[in-house]
Amino acid sequence: MTFNKNSMLMALMLSFSLMLFSHNSQAAIDTFEFDNAQQEKTFHELTKLLRCPKCQNNNIADSNAELAKDLRNKTYELVTQGQTKEQVIDYMVARFGNFVRYDPPVTPITIFLWLGPALFIIFGLLVLFRQIKKQPTKATVLDTEEQEKLQKLLKQHVKDTK
């Protein structure tokens, strides 16, 4: 059996594309079985409410990180044990802190998360107001001494240009 350049190139491209796209086919899909529809609903709500500590801006339902997978499994375990949403959230907060919640409660520690954007805007407006206030007005009134100097400069300029 002989191969020409075209068939070798095609075989190489085919094997490369198989290697490139085979990784996605190995992705695992989580399947969970629940005792009732309420448990399933609670599980799905919780996985959307809890943030992945590794990904930081993904919830554990959308994240593919191993830590998110572990948190989904733990959430499933706690929900099937009959724990409420609040109990599961309390469990996760006890282990990961309020960061694991997308909507952390207002506490002395998290107050800056809630007030930070407003304080930043107020500070920016104050700086802007002070800068505007410092700028001189366009119509500056000259005293008599300054007016005399200006007239001398203008006369000198007229003489030099002639």
Side-chain angles (χ1 to χ4, degrees), residues 2-162:
T2 60
F3 291 103
N4 63 22
K5 285 185 179 182
N6 286 339
S7 61
M8 288 291 283
L9 183 61
M10 291 297 286
L12 184 63
M13 288 175 58
L14 179 63
S15 61
F16 177 72
S17 63
L18 286 174
M19 286 189 295
L20 183 66
F21 296 111
S22 66
H23 178 70
N24 290 339
S25 67
Q26 300 297 323
I29 298 174
D30 294 332
T31 56
F32 298 103
E33 293 183 22
F34 298 94
D35 296 335
N36 56 49
Q38 182 59 41
Q39 282 184 348
E40 185 173 1
K41 180 182 176 197
T42 302
F43 173 78
H44 289 296
E45 288 173 358
L46 282 167
T47 58
K48 299 239 184 268
L49 287 175
L50 297 171
R51 179 192 322 259
C52 175
K54 184 176 180 183
C55 303
Q56 297 185 2
N57 66 348
N58 279 0
N59 57 32
I60 63 174
D62 295 335
S63 175
N64 291 327
E66 284 297 317
L67 180 58
K69 182 179 177 184
D70 292 342
L71 290 176
R72 283 192 300 268
N73 290 336
K74 188 63 176 178
T75 302
Y76 170 74
E77 179 185 321
L78 294 172
V79 167
T80 55
Q81 289 175 359
Q83 294 196 18
T84 64
K85 260 199 237 185
E86 291 76 24
Q87 290 171 323
V88 174
I89 290 173
D90 290 343
Y91 175 88
M92 296 297 183
V93 168
R95 274 129 193 95
F96 297 100
N98 276 322
F99 180 77
V100 78
R101 300 175 70 165
Y102 262 119
D103 58 341
V106 179
T107 65
I109 295 171
T110 62
I111 193 75
F112 291 108
L113 292 174
W114 291 100
L115 295 180
L119 293 174
F120 185 74
I121 290 171
I122 290 169
F123 178 74
L125 289 174
L126 286 174
V127 169
L128 184 64
F129 179 72
R130 292 182 98 193
Q131 289 296 327
I132 291 171
K133 197 173 180 180
K134 283 182 182 179
Q135 289 181 349
T137 59
K138 288 184 180 179
T140 305
V141 179
L142 300 176
D143 62 12
T144 55
E145 184 181 322
E146 291 173 329
Q147 286 179 356
E148 288 173 7
K149 286 181 182 178
L150 180 61
Q151 291 302 324
K152 286 180 185 176
L153 287 171
L154 286 172
K155 285 179 186 176
Q156 180 68 32
H157 178 68
V158 170
K159 284 181 186 178
D160 292 343
T161 56
K162 287 184 182 180

